[in-house]
Amino acid sequence: EDQVTQSPEALRLQEGESSSLNCSYTVSGLRGLFWYRQDPGKGPEFLFTLYSAGEEKEKERLKATLTKKESFLHITAPKPEDSATYLCAVQADSWGKLQFGAGTQVVVTP
Amino acid sequence: EPEVTQTPSHQVTQMGQEVILRCVPISNHLYFYWYRQILGQKVEFLVSFYNNEISEKSEIFDDQFSVERPDGSNFTLKIRSTKLEDSAMYFCASIGRQSWETQYFGPGTRLLVL
């Protein structure tokens, strides 16, 4: 059975304190791994898609990496506006459903 | 920038009533999805829809649920007889031809069943 596990569940950071979020997955035939950001009461906002082990993508203070069993989302020098829940999701088929992890809630304090 | 929109943003209903949640996917998108998120839980897949047919559905999507694309722009989720456990955020998502794998989500409809 496909599984997506994110850790830690919650993370409290000081502004400027870099850290990493983990997403470990088991899926038969990974088509893509996705990172989304979700603010309270809002829909998931797309950040990155990763397709194969070794791939990296960056956007502002965020960098996502992928291995055969897990993905990391690195937050470099975070700011309070980076506070959100970060969701990881896997897709096994083209145009197929996303299977989400439970998310990591990140709070960045000034 | 084009967005997925959903209406209403909030809906309160009595148990046993029918509700229709509406979504306007991004123009020219081809695949459409509904997900739900019960408070404090994971986002869960309900159903995918392509070419006016259901492509895949989860075990949550039982006979009480139906989807429809009544015209060229709207995509609806109907719950025939709501239960207390249907209370959740419902998200619509769509995929376009250019970004064929990235699902773009709407802001959600918060459904509360009393």
PDB file of all heavy atoms in Angstrom, chain A residues 90 95-100, chain B residues 32-37 42-49 54-61 91 93 103 105:
ATOM      1  N   VAL A  90       2.415  12.279  -3.334  1.00  0.00           N
ATOM      2  CA  VAL A  90       2.988  11.460  -4.388  1.00  0.00           C
ATOM      3  C   VAL A  90       1.915  11.097  -5.399  1.00  0.00           C
ATOM      4  O   VAL A  90       0.725  11.018  -5.080  1.00  0.00           O
ATOM      5  CB  VAL A  90       3.651  10.175  -3.837  1.00  0.00           C
ATOM      6  CG1 VAL A  90       4.805  10.524  -2.925  1.00  0.00           C
ATOM      7  CG2 VAL A  90       2.646   9.284  -3.135  1.00  0.00           C
ATOM      8  N   TRP A  95      -1.632  12.037 -14.507  1.00  0.00           N
ATOM      9  CA  TRP A  95      -2.945  12.648 -14.272  1.00  0.00           C
ATOM     10  C   TRP A  95      -3.713  11.971 -13.139  1.00  0.00           C
ATOM     11  O   TRP A  95      -4.913  12.169 -12.985  1.00  0.00           O
ATOM     12  CB  TRP A  95      -3.821  12.623 -15.544  1.00  0.00           C
ATOM     13  CG  TRP A  95      -3.221  13.378 -16.670  1.00  0.00           C
ATOM     14  CD1 TRP A  95      -3.190  14.725 -16.818  1.00  0.00           C
ATOM     15  CD2 TRP A  95      -2.547  12.832 -17.808  1.00  0.00           C
ATOM     16  NE1 TRP A  95      -2.533  15.051 -17.987  1.00  0.00           N
ATOM     17  CE2 TRP A  95      -2.124  13.919 -18.609  1.00  0.00           C
ATOM     18  CE3 TRP A  95      -2.260  11.540 -18.245  1.00  0.00           C
ATOM     19  CZ2 TRP A  95      -1.431  13.747 -19.786  1.00  0.00           C
ATOM     20  CZ3 TRP A  95      -1.573  11.381 -19.416  1.00  0.00           C
ATOM     21  CH2 TRP A  95      -1.165  12.462 -20.173  1.00  0.00           C
ATOM     22  N   GLY A  96      -3.007  11.172 -12.366  1.00  0.00           N
ATOM     23  CA  GLY A  96      -3.673  10.412 -11.315  1.00  0.00           C
ATOM     24  C   GLY A  96      -3.812  11.183 -10.028  1.00  0.00           C
ATOM     25  O   GLY A  96      -3.338  12.309  -9.892  1.00  0.00           O
ATOM     26  N   LYS A  97      -4.457  10.533  -9.071  1.00  0.00           N
ATOM     27  CA  LYS A  97      -4.704  11.161  -7.780  1.00  0.00           C
ATOM     28  C   LYS A  97      -3.397  11.443  -7.059  1.00  0.00           C
ATOM     29  O   LYS A  97      -2.377  10.782  -7.289  1.00  0.00           O
ATOM     30  CB  LYS A  97      -5.555  10.224  -6.922  1.00  0.00           C
ATOM     31  CG  LYS A  97      -4.823   8.955  -6.537  1.00  0.00           C
ATOM     32  CD  LYS A  97      -5.715   7.980  -5.802  1.00  0.00           C
ATOM     33  CE  LYS A  97      -4.923   6.721  -5.467  1.00  0.00           C
ATOM     34  NZ  LYS A  97      -5.814   5.633  -5.034  1.00  0.00           N
ATOM     35  N   LEU A  98      -3.446  12.439  -6.199  1.00  0.00           N
ATOM     36  CA  LEU A  98      -2.344  12.716  -5.291  1.00  0.00           C
ATOM     37  C   LEU A  98      -2.647  12.054  -3.953  1.00  0.00           C
ATOM     38  O   LEU A  98      -3.778  12.115  -3.465  1.00  0.00           O
ATOM     39  CB  LEU A  98      -2.180  14.215  -5.083  1.00  0.00           C
ATOM     40  CG  LEU A  98      -1.784  15.029  -6.317  1.00  0.00           C
ATOM     41  CD1 LEU A  98      -1.671  16.503  -5.958  1.00  0.00           C
ATOM     42  CD2 LEU A  98      -0.490  14.513  -6.905  1.00  0.00           C
ATOM     43  N   GLN A  99      -1.613  11.442  -3.382  1.00  0.00           N
ATOM     44  CA  GLN A  99      -1.730  10.908  -2.027  1.00  0.00           C
ATOM     45  C   GLN A  99      -0.874  11.777  -1.131  1.00  0.00           C
ATOM     46  O   GLN A  99       0.348  11.853  -1.303  1.00  0.00           O
ATOM     47  CB  GLN A  99      -1.273   9.460  -1.966  1.00  0.00           C
ATOM     48  CG  GLN A  99      -1.447   8.840  -0.593  1.00  0.00           C
ATOM     49  CD  GLN A  99      -1.331   7.347  -0.615  1.00  0.00           C
ATOM     50  OE1 GLN A  99      -1.357   6.721  -1.666  1.00  0.00           O
ATOM     51  NE2 GLN A  99      -1.176   6.748   0.546  1.00  0.00           N
ATOM     52  N   PHE A 100      -1.516  12.401  -0.164  1.00  0.00           N
ATOM     53  CA  PHE A 100      -0.858  13.392   0.668  1.00  0.00           C
ATOM     54  C   PHE A 100      -0.353  12.802   1.972  1.00  0.00           C
ATOM     55  O   PHE A 100      -0.938  11.870   2.541  1.00  0.00           O
ATOM     56  CB  PHE A 100      -1.834  14.524   1.012  1.00  0.00           C
ATOM     57  CG  PHE A 100      -2.053  15.509  -0.094  1.00  0.00           C
ATOM     58  CD1 PHE A 100      -3.012  15.271  -1.070  1.00  0.00           C
ATOM     59  CD2 PHE A 100      -1.309  16.678  -0.160  1.00  0.00           C
ATOM     60  CE1 PHE A 100      -3.214  16.179  -2.097  1.00  0.00           C
ATOM     61  CE2 PHE A 100      -1.509  17.596  -1.178  1.00  0.00           C
ATOM     62  CZ  PHE A 100      -2.463  17.341  -2.148  1.00  0.00           C
TER      63      PHE A 100
ATOM     64  N   PHE B  32     -10.063  17.023 -13.798  1.00  0.00           N
ATOM     65  CA  PHE B  32     -10.636  17.690 -12.646  1.00  0.00           C
ATOM     66  C   PHE B  32     -10.725  16.708 -11.485  1.00  0.00           C
ATOM     67  O   PHE B  32     -10.908  15.507 -11.696  1.00  0.00           O
ATOM     68  CB  PHE B  32     -12.030  18.230 -12.991  1.00  0.00           C
ATOM     69  CG  PHE B  32     -12.055  18.977 -14.295  1.00  0.00           C
ATOM     70  CD1 PHE B  32     -12.682  18.437 -15.405  1.00  0.00           C
ATOM     71  CD2 PHE B  32     -11.427  20.209 -14.411  1.00  0.00           C
ATOM     72  CE1 PHE B  32     -12.686  19.112 -16.615  1.00  0.00           C
ATOM     73  CE2 PHE B  32     -11.426  20.883 -15.623  1.00  0.00           C
ATOM     74  CZ  PHE B  32     -12.054  20.335 -16.723  1.00  0.00           C
ATOM     75  N   TYR B  33     -10.566  17.248 -10.297  1.00  0.00           N
ATOM     76  CA  TYR B  33     -10.480  16.409  -9.110  1.00  0.00           C
ATOM     77  C   TYR B  33     -11.264  17.048  -7.979  1.00  0.00           C
ATOM     78  O   TYR B  33     -11.369  18.275  -7.890  1.00  0.00           O
ATOM     79  CB  TYR B  33      -9.013  16.272  -8.640  1.00  0.00           C
ATOM     80  CG  TYR B  33      -8.074  15.795  -9.715  1.00  0.00           C
ATOM     81  CD1 TYR B  33      -7.574  16.679 -10.662  1.00  0.00           C
ATOM     82  CD2 TYR B  33      -7.680  14.464  -9.783  1.00  0.00           C
ATOM     83  CE1 TYR B  33      -6.710  16.245 -11.662  1.00  0.00           C
ATOM     84  CE2 TYR B  33      -6.810  14.022 -10.774  1.00  0.00           C
ATOM     85  CZ  TYR B  33      -6.338  14.925 -11.702  1.00  0.00           C
ATOM     86  OH  TYR B  33      -5.477  14.492 -12.680  1.00  0.00           O
ATOM     87  N   TRP B  34     -11.752  16.207  -7.076  1.00  0.00           N
ATOM     88  CA  TRP B  34     -12.240  16.653  -5.782  1.00  0.00           C
ATOM     89  C   TRP B  34     -11.472  15.924  -4.692  1.00  0.00           C
ATOM     90  O   TRP B  34     -11.237  14.709  -4.786  1.00  0.00           O
ATOM     91  CB  TRP B  34     -13.732  16.372  -5.606  1.00  0.00           C
ATOM     92  CG  TRP B  34     -14.619  17.308  -6.345  1.00  0.00           C
ATOM     93  CD1 TRP B  34     -15.266  17.082  -7.516  1.00  0.00           C
ATOM     94  CD2 TRP B  34     -14.987  18.643  -5.958  1.00  0.00           C
ATOM     95  NE1 TRP B  34     -15.995  18.183  -7.891  1.00  0.00           N
ATOM     96  CE2 TRP B  34     -15.838  19.160  -6.949  1.00  0.00           C
ATOM     97  CE3 TRP B  34     -14.673  19.457  -4.857  1.00  0.00           C
ATOM     98  CZ2 TRP B  34     -16.388  20.436  -6.888  1.00  0.00           C
ATOM     99  CZ3 TRP B  34     -15.221  20.729  -4.805  1.00  0.00           C
ATOM    100  CH2 TRP B  34     -16.062  21.205  -5.790  1.00  0.00           C
ATOM    101  N   TYR B  35     -11.077  16.704  -3.687  1.00  0.00           N
ATOM    102  CA  TYR B  35     -10.434  16.188  -2.482  1.00  0.00           C
ATOM    103  C   TYR B  35     -11.193  16.744  -1.286  1.00  0.00           C
ATOM    104  O   TYR B  35     -11.900  17.751  -1.397  1.00  0.00           O
ATOM    105  CB  TYR B  35      -8.977  16.672  -2.384  1.00  0.00           C
ATOM    106  CG  TYR B  35      -8.045  16.115  -3.426  1.00  0.00           C
ATOM    107  CD1 TYR B  35      -7.981  16.664  -4.705  1.00  0.00           C
ATOM    108  CD2 TYR B  35      -7.195  15.055  -3.134  1.00  0.00           C
ATOM    109  CE1 TYR B  35      -7.112  16.165  -5.671  1.00  0.00           C
ATOM    110  CE2 TYR B  35      -6.312  14.542  -4.086  1.00  0.00           C
ATOM    111  CZ  TYR B  35      -6.282  15.111  -5.345  1.00  0.00           C
ATOM    112  OH  TYR B  35      -5.418  14.609  -6.285  1.00  0.00           O
ATOM    113  N   ARG B  36     -11.004  16.105  -0.136  1.00  0.00           N
ATOM    114  CA  ARG B  36     -11.558  16.686   1.070  1.00  0.00           C
ATOM    115  C   ARG B  36     -10.503  16.614   2.175  1.00  0.00           C
ATOM    116  O   ARG B  36      -9.571  15.803   2.143  1.00  0.00           O
ATOM    117  CB  ARG B  36     -12.840  15.981   1.512  1.00  0.00           C
ATOM    118  CG  ARG B  36     -12.611  14.665   2.197  1.00  0.00           C
ATOM    119  CD  ARG B  36     -13.896  14.099   2.768  1.00  0.00           C
ATOM    120  NE  ARG B  36     -13.614  12.902   3.548  1.00  0.00           N
ATOM    121  CZ  ARG B  36     -14.540  12.088   4.001  1.00  0.00           C
ATOM    122  NH1 ARG B  36     -15.825  12.334   3.764  1.00  0.00           N
ATOM    123  NH2 ARG B  36     -14.217  11.040   4.709  1.00  0.00           N
ATOM    124  N   GLN B  37     -10.690  17.477   3.158  1.00  0.00           N
ATOM    125  CA  GLN B  37      -9.791  17.510   4.307  1.00  0.00           C
ATOM    126  C   GLN B  37     -10.626  17.713   5.556  1.00  0.00           C
ATOM    127  O   GLN B  37     -11.137  18.823   5.782  1.00  0.00           O
ATOM    128  CB  GLN B  37      -8.747  18.616   4.162  1.00  0.00           C
ATOM    129  CG  GLN B  37      -7.673  18.603   5.247  1.00  0.00           C
ATOM    130  CD  GLN B  37      -6.600  19.658   4.990  1.00  0.00           C
ATOM    131  OE1 GLN B  37      -6.869  20.726   4.439  1.00  0.00           O
ATOM    132  NE2 GLN B  37      -5.369  19.365   5.404  1.00  0.00           N
ATOM    133  N   LYS B  42      -5.415  14.539   6.988  1.00  0.00           N
ATOM    134  CA  LYS B  42      -4.771  14.656   5.677  1.00  0.00           C
ATOM    135  C   LYS B  42      -5.768  15.079   4.601  1.00  0.00           C
ATOM    136  O   LYS B  42      -6.977  14.841   4.725  1.00  0.00           O
ATOM    137  CB  LYS B  42      -4.222  13.297   5.232  1.00  0.00           C
ATOM    138  CG  LYS B  42      -3.117  12.729   6.074  1.00  0.00           C
ATOM    139  CD  LYS B  42      -2.650  11.416   5.474  1.00  0.00           C
ATOM    140  CE  LYS B  42      -1.571  10.770   6.315  1.00  0.00           C
ATOM    141  NZ  LYS B  42      -1.044   9.548   5.693  1.00  0.00           N
ATOM    142  N   VAL B  43      -5.259  15.643   3.532  1.00  0.00           N
ATOM    143  CA  VAL B  43      -6.051  15.849   2.327  1.00  0.00           C
ATOM    144  C   VAL B  43      -6.268  14.481   1.691  1.00  0.00           C
ATOM    145  O   VAL B  43      -5.308  13.727   1.474  1.00  0.00           O
ATOM    146  CB  VAL B  43      -5.320  16.797   1.349  1.00  0.00           C
ATOM    147  CG1 VAL B  43      -6.104  16.939   0.062  1.00  0.00           C
ATOM    148  CG2 VAL B  43      -5.076  18.156   1.989  1.00  0.00           C
ATOM    149  N   GLU B  44      -7.546  14.167   1.391  1.00  0.00           N
ATOM    150  CA  GLU B  44      -7.888  12.840   0.851  1.00  0.00           C
ATOM    151  C   GLU B  44      -8.524  12.973  -0.527  1.00  0.00           C
ATOM    152  O   GLU B  44      -9.409  13.812  -0.729  1.00  0.00           O
ATOM    153  CB  GLU B  44      -8.921  12.152   1.748  1.00  0.00           C
ATOM    154  CG  GLU B  44      -8.529  11.933   3.179  1.00  0.00           C
ATOM    155  CD  GLU B  44      -9.713  11.365   3.960  1.00  0.00           C
ATOM    156  OE1 GLU B  44     -10.668  12.113   4.223  1.00  0.00           O
ATOM    157  OE2 GLU B  44      -9.676  10.153   4.286  1.00  0.00           O
ATOM    158  N   PHE B  45      -8.124  12.109  -1.422  1.00  0.00           N
ATOM    159  CA  PHE B  45      -8.680  12.072  -2.770  1.00  0.00           C
ATOM    160  C   PHE B  45     -10.106  11.525  -2.742  1.00  0.00           C
ATOM    161  O   PHE B  45     -10.399  10.536  -2.044  1.00  0.00           O
ATOM    162  CB  PHE B  45      -7.796  11.192  -3.652  1.00  0.00           C
ATOM    163  CG  PHE B  45      -8.373  10.832  -4.981  1.00  0.00           C
ATOM    164  CD1 PHE B  45      -8.412  11.753  -6.003  1.00  0.00           C
ATOM    165  CD2 PHE B  45      -8.891   9.563  -5.195  1.00  0.00           C
ATOM    166  CE1 PHE B  45      -8.939  11.410  -7.238  1.00  0.00           C
ATOM    167  CE2 PHE B  45      -9.413   9.204  -6.417  1.00  0.00           C
ATOM    168  CZ  PHE B  45      -9.449  10.133  -7.446  1.00  0.00           C
ATOM    169  N   LEU B  46     -10.994  12.158  -3.504  1.00  0.00           N
ATOM    170  CA  LEU B  46     -12.358  11.640  -3.662  1.00  0.00           C
ATOM    171  C   LEU B  46     -12.566  11.058  -5.067  1.00  0.00           C
ATOM    172  O   LEU B  46     -12.944   9.902  -5.214  1.00  0.00           O
ATOM    173  CB  LEU B  46     -13.382  12.753  -3.432  1.00  0.00           C
ATOM    174  CG  LEU B  46     -13.502  13.306  -2.016  1.00  0.00           C
ATOM    175  CD1 LEU B  46     -14.514  14.440  -1.981  1.00  0.00           C
ATOM    176  CD2 LEU B  46     -13.894  12.220  -1.036  1.00  0.00           C
ATOM    177  N   VAL B  47     -12.328  11.890  -6.085  1.00  0.00           N
ATOM    178  CA  VAL B  47     -12.693  11.485  -7.438  1.00  0.00           C
ATOM    179  C   VAL B  47     -11.918  12.299  -8.455  1.00  0.00           C
ATOM    180  O   VAL B  47     -11.538  13.445  -8.200  1.00  0.00           O
ATOM    181  CB  VAL B  47     -14.219  11.668  -7.641  1.00  0.00           C
ATOM    182  CG1 VAL B  47     -14.597  13.141  -7.567  1.00  0.00           C
ATOM    183  CG2 VAL B  47     -14.712  11.041  -8.918  1.00  0.00           C
ATOM    184  N   SER B  48     -11.648  11.678  -9.607  1.00  0.00           N
ATOM    185  CA  SER B  48     -11.078  12.396 -10.744  1.00  0.00           C
ATOM    186  C   SER B  48     -12.013  12.247 -11.931  1.00  0.00           C
ATOM    187  O   SER B  48     -12.768  11.257 -12.041  1.00  0.00           O
ATOM    188  CB  SER B  48      -9.676  11.893 -11.082  1.00  0.00           C
ATOM    189  OG  SER B  48      -9.693  10.506 -11.383  1.00  0.00           O
ATOM    190  N   PHE B  49     -11.955  13.211 -12.827  1.00  0.00           N
ATOM    191  CA  PHE B  49     -12.960  13.332 -13.886  1.00  0.00           C
ATOM    192  C   PHE B  49     -12.266  13.816 -15.140  1.00  0.00           C
ATOM    193  O   PHE B  49     -11.534  14.809 -15.124  1.00  0.00           O
ATOM    194  CB  PHE B  49     -14.008  14.345 -13.418  1.00  0.00           C
ATOM    195  CG  PHE B  49     -15.259  14.423 -14.226  1.00  0.00           C
ATOM    196  CD1 PHE B  49     -16.319  13.566 -13.994  1.00  0.00           C
ATOM    197  CD2 PHE B  49     -15.420  15.411 -15.199  1.00  0.00           C
ATOM    198  CE1 PHE B  49     -17.495  13.655 -14.708  1.00  0.00           C
ATOM    199  CE2 PHE B  49     -16.590  15.510 -15.925  1.00  0.00           C
ATOM    200  CZ  PHE B  49     -17.639  14.633 -15.667  1.00  0.00           C
ATOM    201  N   ILE B  54     -16.017   9.762 -14.900  1.00  0.00           N
ATOM    202  CA  ILE B  54     -15.173   9.535 -13.739  1.00  0.00           C
ATOM    203  C   ILE B  54     -14.009   8.651 -14.162  1.00  0.00           C
ATOM    204  O   ILE B  54     -14.200   7.589 -14.764  1.00  0.00           O
ATOM    205  CB  ILE B  54     -15.974   8.869 -12.601  1.00  0.00           C
ATOM    206  CG1 ILE B  54     -16.978   9.874 -12.013  1.00  0.00           C
ATOM    207  CG2 ILE B  54     -15.043   8.342 -11.525  1.00  0.00           C
ATOM    208  CD1 ILE B  54     -17.902   9.286 -10.962  1.00  0.00           C
ATOM    209  N   SER B  55     -12.776   9.107 -13.858  1.00  0.00           N
ATOM    210  CA  SER B  55     -11.585   8.319 -14.170  1.00  0.00           C
ATOM    211  C   SER B  55     -11.239   7.369 -13.030  1.00  0.00           C
ATOM    212  O   SER B  55     -10.836   6.237 -13.250  1.00  0.00           O
ATOM    213  CB  SER B  55     -10.385   9.236 -14.412  1.00  0.00           C
ATOM    214  OG  SER B  55     -10.624  10.113 -15.460  1.00  0.00           O
ATOM    215  N   GLU B  56     -11.360   7.889 -11.835  1.00  0.00           N
ATOM    216  CA  GLU B  56     -11.015   7.104 -10.639  1.00  0.00           C
ATOM    217  C   GLU B  56     -11.796   7.657  -9.461  1.00  0.00           C
ATOM    218  O   GLU B  56     -12.080   8.856  -9.422  1.00  0.00           O
ATOM    219  CB  GLU B  56      -9.511   7.214 -10.356  1.00  0.00           C
ATOM    220  CG  GLU B  56      -9.014   6.328  -9.239  1.00  0.00           C
ATOM    221  CD  GLU B  56      -7.510   6.433  -9.016  1.00  0.00           C
ATOM    222  OE1 GLU B  56      -6.842   7.244  -9.711  1.00  0.00           O
ATOM    223  OE2 GLU B  56      -6.987   5.698  -8.148  1.00  0.00           O
ATOM    224  N   LYS B  57     -12.151   6.795  -8.538  1.00  0.00           N
ATOM    225  CA  LYS B  57     -12.802   7.264  -7.325  1.00  0.00           C
ATOM    226  C   LYS B  57     -12.282   6.475  -6.140  1.00  0.00           C
ATOM    227  O   LYS B  57     -11.864   5.320  -6.275  1.00  0.00           O
ATOM    228  CB  LYS B  57     -14.324   7.164  -7.431  1.00  0.00           C
ATOM    229  CG  LYS B  57     -14.837   5.759  -7.664  1.00  0.00           C
ATOM    230  CD  LYS B  57     -16.348   5.782  -7.842  1.00  0.00           C
ATOM    231  CE  LYS B  57     -16.879   4.374  -8.071  1.00  0.00           C
ATOM    232  NZ  LYS B  57     -18.352   4.342  -8.253  1.00  0.00           N
ATOM    233  N   SER B  58     -12.322   7.110  -4.978  1.00  0.00           N
ATOM    234  CA  SER B  58     -11.860   6.448  -3.775  1.00  0.00           C
ATOM    235  C   SER B  58     -13.043   5.727  -3.125  1.00  0.00           C
ATOM    236  O   SER B  58     -14.200   5.914  -3.503  1.00  0.00           O
ATOM    237  CB  SER B  58     -11.252   7.455  -2.809  1.00  0.00           C
ATOM    238  OG  SER B  58     -12.264   8.257  -2.238  1.00  0.00           O
ATOM    239  N   GLU B  59     -12.732   4.963  -2.077  1.00  0.00           N
ATOM    240  CA  GLU B  59     -13.809   4.254  -1.375  1.00  0.00           C
ATOM    241  C   GLU B  59     -14.694   5.225  -0.602  1.00  0.00           C
ATOM    242  O   GLU B  59     -15.793   4.889  -0.214  1.00  0.00           O
ATOM    243  CB  GLU B  59     -13.225   3.188  -0.458  1.00  0.00           C
ATOM    244  CG  GLU B  59     -12.224   3.702   0.551  1.00  0.00           C
ATOM    245  CD  GLU B  59     -11.459   2.571   1.220  1.00  0.00           C
ATOM    246  OE1 GLU B  59     -11.277   1.508   0.608  1.00  0.00           O
ATOM    247  OE2 GLU B  59     -11.040   2.765   2.374  1.00  0.00           O
ATOM    248  N   ILE B  60     -14.202   6.453  -0.376  1.00  0.00           N
ATOM    249  CA  ILE B  60     -15.038   7.459   0.283  1.00  0.00           C
ATOM    250  C   ILE B  60     -16.186   7.853  -0.647  1.00  0.00           C
ATOM    251  O   ILE B  60     -17.295   8.142  -0.209  1.00  0.00           O
ATOM    252  CB  ILE B  60     -14.211   8.718   0.611  1.00  0.00           C
ATOM    253  CG1 ILE B  60     -13.023   8.377   1.498  1.00  0.00           C
ATOM    254  CG2 ILE B  60     -15.078   9.786   1.258  1.00  0.00           C
ATOM    255  CD1 ILE B  60     -12.035   9.523   1.625  1.00  0.00           C
ATOM    256  N   PHE B  61     -15.929   7.878  -1.916  1.00  0.00           N
ATOM    257  CA  PHE B  61     -16.876   8.363  -2.930  1.00  0.00           C
ATOM    258  C   PHE B  61     -17.909   7.277  -3.189  1.00  0.00           C
ATOM    259  O   PHE B  61     -17.834   6.531  -4.173  1.00  0.00           O
ATOM    260  CB  PHE B  61     -16.109   8.725  -4.198  1.00  0.00           C
ATOM    261  CG  PHE B  61     -16.904   9.527  -5.198  1.00  0.00           C
ATOM    262  CD1 PHE B  61     -16.929  10.909  -5.138  1.00  0.00           C
ATOM    263  CD2 PHE B  61     -17.626   8.897  -6.191  1.00  0.00           C
ATOM    264  CE1 PHE B  61     -17.654  11.654  -6.053  1.00  0.00           C
ATOM    265  CE2 PHE B  61     -18.360   9.625  -7.115  1.00  0.00           C
ATOM    266  CZ  PHE B  61     -18.375  11.006  -7.049  1.00  0.00           C
ATOM    267  N   PHE B  91     -11.947  20.502  -1.625  1.00  0.00           N
ATOM    268  CA  PHE B  91     -11.112  21.209  -2.583  1.00  0.00           C
ATOM    269  C   PHE B  91     -11.311  20.632  -3.976  1.00  0.00           C
ATOM    270  O   PHE B  91     -11.328  19.417  -4.164  1.00  0.00           O
ATOM    271  CB  PHE B  91      -9.630  21.082  -2.225  1.00  0.00           C
ATOM    272  CG  PHE B  91      -9.258  21.695  -0.917  1.00  0.00           C
ATOM    273  CD1 PHE B  91      -8.907  20.897   0.161  1.00  0.00           C
ATOM    274  CD2 PHE B  91      -9.246  23.074  -0.743  1.00  0.00           C
ATOM    275  CE1 PHE B  91      -8.557  21.444   1.382  1.00  0.00           C
ATOM    276  CE2 PHE B  91      -8.897  23.638   0.464  1.00  0.00           C
ATOM    277  CZ  PHE B  91      -8.558  22.825   1.532  1.00  0.00           C
ATOM    278  N   ALA B  93      -9.561  20.629  -7.824  1.00  0.00           N
ATOM    279  CA  ALA B  93      -8.254  20.840  -8.455  1.00  0.00           C
ATOM    280  C   ALA B  93      -8.369  20.517  -9.939  1.00  0.00           C
ATOM    281  O   ALA B  93      -9.273  19.778 -10.359  1.00  0.00           O
ATOM    282  CB  ALA B  93      -7.185  19.961  -7.805  1.00  0.00           C
ATOM    283  N   GLN B 103      -1.402  19.608 -10.230  1.00  0.00           N
ATOM    284  CA  GLN B 103      -2.785  19.909  -9.880  1.00  0.00           C
ATOM    285  C   GLN B 103      -2.833  21.245  -9.143  1.00  0.00           C
ATOM    286  O   GLN B 103      -2.147  21.423  -8.141  1.00  0.00           O
ATOM    287  CB  GLN B 103      -3.355  18.786  -9.013  1.00  0.00           C
ATOM    288  CG  GLN B 103      -3.442  17.461  -9.771  1.00  0.00           C
ATOM    289  CD  GLN B 103      -4.094  16.359  -8.988  1.00  0.00           C
ATOM    290  OE1 GLN B 103      -4.880  16.597  -8.075  1.00  0.00           O
ATOM    291  NE2 GLN B 103      -3.790  15.125  -9.350  1.00  0.00           N
ATOM    292  N   PHE B 105      -5.075  23.824  -7.029  1.00  0.00           N
ATOM    293  CA  PHE B 105      -6.206  23.708  -6.119  1.00  0.00           C
ATOM    294  C   PHE B 105      -6.952  25.018  -5.968  1.00  0.00           C
ATOM    295  O   PHE B 105      -6.370  26.101  -6.010  1.00  0.00           O
ATOM    296  CB  PHE B 105      -5.720  23.257  -4.737  1.00  0.00           C
ATOM    297  CG  PHE B 105      -5.388  21.793  -4.659  1.00  0.00           C
ATOM    298  CD1 PHE B 105      -4.220  21.308  -5.218  1.00  0.00           C
ATOM    299  CD2 PHE B 105      -6.257  20.901  -4.045  1.00  0.00           C
ATOM    300  CE1 PHE B 105      -3.908  19.958  -5.156  1.00  0.00           C
ATOM    301  CE2 PHE B 105      -5.954  19.547  -3.978  1.00  0.00           C
ATOM    302  CZ  PHE B 105      -4.778  19.077  -4.540  1.00  0.00           C
TER     303      PHE B 105
END
